[in-house]
């Protein structure tokens, strides 16, 4: 199967990320019942599903203007302002939504049914470590790379939303039709957020140099890797933007670290556990005035077992000293196997950038690489970093606007 297939945004509908549950516009509640002297209640939704909510949780998240600021939704009280013996004195369904009264405060508030559905926490978690959040999709070389036009992103909020949704879902996207001048990549970041400046400056050059301080600035091929694992926090987004590319070779490749980790877990559960349980160490000292160091696991999980991030960069790996002696050989075996999976051509999506083209990757997940290129011709890319929270914020705003427009 070809690794070079691309897919334009006009041929695929890319959905916005789901937040725990997909919330419809006609969600209603049927019944509610108090339990254990009002310590918690049960609600039954219109589809027959049930959820329990504790009194203290409902009070802490009350939506009234004395508890939450109407403009930004931030809390106006602390947990210490809520009585420790808070319980529910009454609960009823009004117009399909939940209305409750809290004792000993004597406070009555309402909760929309859709809000309860969106934020319910009484639900089973996946039983296997390494599960993915709703809206995140792992992939291999069979994925047609999502491609978007710079000009259309700039002029059409729906295209911009689809672009950001693709980056969130797949961890990368390619962009075409961009301007060809130094610093043009900053305009791409401006669509959703802000440049994250590092010791390399607001952006950096990726081309052959004499005596470079980083192997990325040579014509050598590079193994797929995440960037800057030695930073804390690690840059969460990276943009690579092509200004000139007449050299032979130098194709870019991306690999889904989440899919690589899933394969490792399927083949070697103990290896998966070791790489997620014990910290790797990463170190960089490129110049006299820069020394960066970080200690994090190669596979990052939340306490609930959700897969949150991958850090893989053999060039920057420092000696591992946080793995017990009895586990070190198995740790290295898992590390080796993860590298073999990442290097598997069945895992990579490959493309060559032309001037004005670029790609963006979620650096906490997607590894990027390039094939070696010859000394003839010229290859000039510029790169920069940004933060995913700004991207997700812009995606949320655009998605909300789309929903409002559809409802009107």
């Amino acid at each position: 199967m070809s690794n070079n297939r691309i897919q334009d945004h006009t041929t695929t509908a890319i959905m916005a990320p789901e937040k725990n549950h997909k919330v419809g516009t006609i969600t209603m509640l049927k019944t509610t019942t108090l339990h254990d002297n009002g310590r918690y209640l049960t609600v039954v939704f219109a589809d027959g599903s049930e959820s329990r909510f504790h009194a203290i949780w409902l009070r802490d998240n009350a939506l009234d203007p004395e508890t939450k600021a109407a403009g930004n939704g931030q809390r106006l009280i602390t947990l210490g302002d809520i009585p420790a013996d808070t319980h529910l004195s009454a609960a009823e369904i009004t117009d399909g939504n939940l209305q409750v009264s809290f004792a000993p405060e004597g406070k009555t508030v309402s909760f929309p049914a859709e809000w309860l559905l969106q934020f319910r926490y009484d639900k089973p978690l996946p039983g296997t470590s390494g599960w993915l959040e709703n809206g995140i999709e792992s992939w291999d070389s069979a994925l047609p790379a999502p491609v978007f036009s710079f000009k259309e992103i700039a002029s059409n909020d729906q295209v911009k939303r689809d672009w950001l949704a693709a980056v969130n879902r797949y961890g990368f996207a390619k962009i075409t039709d961009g301007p060809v001048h130094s610093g043009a990549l900053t305009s791409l970041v401006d669509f959703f957020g802000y440049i994250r400046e590092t010791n390399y400056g607001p952006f950096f050059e990726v081309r052959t140099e004499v005596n470079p301080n980083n192997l990325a600035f040579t014509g050598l091929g590079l193994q797929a890797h995440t960037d800057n694992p030695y930073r804390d926090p690690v840059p969460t987004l990276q943009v690579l933007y092509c200004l000139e590319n007449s050299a032979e070779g130098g194709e870019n490749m991306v690999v889904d670290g989440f899919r690589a980790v899933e394969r490792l877990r399927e083949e070697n559960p103990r290896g998966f556990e070791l790489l997620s349980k014990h910290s790797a160490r990463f170190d960089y000292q490129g110049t006299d005035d820069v020394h960066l160091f970080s200690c994090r696991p190669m596979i990052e999980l939340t306490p609930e077992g959700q897969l949150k991030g991958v850090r893989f960069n053999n060039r920057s790996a420092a000696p591992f000293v946080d793995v017990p002696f009895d586990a070190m050989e198995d740790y290295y075996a898992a590390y080796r196997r993860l590298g073999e999976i990442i290097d598997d051509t069945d895992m990579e999506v490959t493309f060559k950038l032309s001037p004005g083209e670029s790609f963006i990757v979620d650096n906490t997940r997607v590894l990027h690489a390039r094939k070696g290129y010859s000394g003839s011709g010229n290859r000039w890319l510029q790169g920069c970093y940004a933060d995913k929270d700004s991207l997700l914020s812009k995606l949320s705003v655009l998605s909300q606007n789309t929903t409002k427009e559809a409802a009107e």
Side-chain angles (χ1 to χ4, degrees):
M1 183 173 295
S2 170
N3 295 330
N4 298 309
R5 295 190 302 156
I6 60 176
Q7 180 166 306
D8 186 83
H9 73 274
T10 58
T11 61
T12 293
I14 301 174
M15 303 302 294
E18 296 179 354
K19 299 293 186 181
N20 299 322
H21 294 272
K22 189 174 182 180
V23 180
T25 59
I26 56 173
T27 303
M28 300 285 282
L29 298 177
K30 294 171 62 178
T31 63
T32 183
T33 305
L34 295 178
H35 302 275
D36 195 10
N37 296 317
R39 287 182 59 244
Y40 71 95
L41 58 74
T42 300
V43 295
V44 178
F45 292 93
D47 62 2
S49 63
E50 297 184 9
S51 283
R52 294 170 295 179
F53 295 91
H54 289 95
I56 187 62
W57 186 93
L58 290 168
R59 178 62 188 91
D60 184 42
N61 291 286
L63 303 175
D64 64 288
E66 290 79 27
T67 303
K68 295 282 187 72
N72 56 32
Q74 293 188 318
R75 281 183 179 80
L76 300 174
I77 62 173
T78 69
L79 190 58
D81 294 320
I82 301 174
D85 60 347
T86 289
H87 59 281
L88 297 164
S89 59
E92 63 180 357
I93 305 301
T94 303
D95 295 328
N97 298 316
L98 177 67
Q99 181 173 291
V100 298
S101 296
F102 296 100
E105 289 181 275
K107 185 180 188 65
T108 298
V109 298
S110 295
F111 294 90
E114 289 190 3
W115 188 93
L116 292 170
L117 179 63
Q118 181 178 4
F119 293 107
R120 62 179 174 180
Y121 56 93
D122 184 23
K123 59 184 184 294
L125 292 174
T128 303
S129 290
W131 52 274
L132 299 178
E133 181 182 5
N134 286 338
I136 305 299
E137 182 179 332
S138 64
W139 48 268
D140 55 23
S141 63
L143 176 72
V147 180
F148 297 84
S149 163
F150 186 104
K151 296 175 182 177
E152 292 184 13
I153 292 172
S155 61
N156 188 315
D157 278 352
Q158 181 62 46
V159 174
K160 183 184 297 183
R161 190 200 75 89
D162 289 348
W163 169 54
L164 299 178
V167 177
N168 182 66
R169 179 176 291 275
Y170 303 116
F172 83 104
K174 183 181 177 184
I175 303 94
T176 61
D177 303 322
V180 183
H181 62 80
S182 179
L185 74 173
T186 62
S187 298
L188 190 66
V189 176
D190 287 343
F191 289 143
F192 63 84
Y194 311 93
I195 295 287
R196 175 175 170 182
E197 188 166 352
T198 69
N199 56 293
Y200 297 120
F203 57 88
F204 51 88
E205 311 292 339
V206 184
R207 55 184 173 185
T208 302
E209 295 182 2
V210 178
N211 298 322
N213 62 10
N214 193 304
L215 290 178
F217 306 148
T218 72
L220 298 175
L222 298 176
Q223 183 186 35
H225 61 281
T226 58
D227 251 34
N228 292 199
Y230 39 74
R231 296 188 191 276
D232 193 3
V234 68
T236 48
L237 294 173
Q238 180 175 12
V239 174
L240 285 170
Y241 198 104
C242 180
L243 297 174
E244 189 173 358
N245 200 1
S246 58
E248 185 70 26
E251 293 86 353
N252 292 98
M253 298 172 286
V254 288
V255 174
D256 187 7
F258 282 1
R259 181 62 194 127
V261 165
E262 288 175 335
R263 282 185 56 180
L264 178 68
R265 184 190 61 197
E266 293 162 3
E267 295 179 12
N268 184 356
R270 172 166 167 73
F272 170 87
E273 180 186 13
L274 289 173
L275 294 186
S276 61
K277 180 179 179 181
H278 299 292
S279 292
R281 292 181 173 236
F282 301 95
D283 184 273
Y284 172 76
Q285 191 168 2
T287 60
D288 291 340
D289 60 344
V290 177
H291 186 191
L292 300 166
F293 174 81
S294 181
C295 181
R296 289 288 187 274
M298 292 189 196
I299 301 172
E300 182 183 358
L301 304 176
T302 67
E304 296 76 30
Q306 179 185 335
L307 181 56
K308 291 297 291 184
V310 175
R311 296 189 185 208
F312 187 90
N313 189 319
N314 70 296
R315 290 176 291 133
S316 302
F320 304 142
V321 300
D322 300 295
V323 182
F325 178 89
D326 292 340
M328 186 63 80
E329 288 187 336
D330 288 345
Y331 183 93
Y332 261 91
Y335 178 27
R336 178 189 299 272
R337 182 54 187 150
L338 180 60
E340 291 171 346
I341 294 171
I342 288 169
D343 289 341
D344 186 349
T345 56
D346 286 341
M347 294 290 293
E348 72 184 41
V349 172
T350 303
F351 46 84
K352 187 166 184 175
L353 296 178
S354 298
E357 295 185 338
S358 59
F359 70 100
I360 182 171
V361 295
D362 179 343
N363 191 52
T364 67
R365 167 189 175 182
V366 172
L367 299 84
H368 65 281
R370 68 145 186 262
K371 299 184 184 297
Y373 60 96
S374 68
S376 60
N378 295 304
R379 186 179 190 271
W380 179 20
L381 274 66
Q382 290 182 330
C384 70
Y385 301 112
D387 292 311
K388 192 165 61 172
D389 58 350
S390 294
L391 184 150
L392 295 178
S393 173
K394 178 63 73 172
L395 174 58
S396 178
V397 170
L398 292 174
S399 297
Q400 291 172 23
N401 291 343
T402 299
T403 300
K404 291 178 182 176
E405 291 171 1
E408 293 177 350

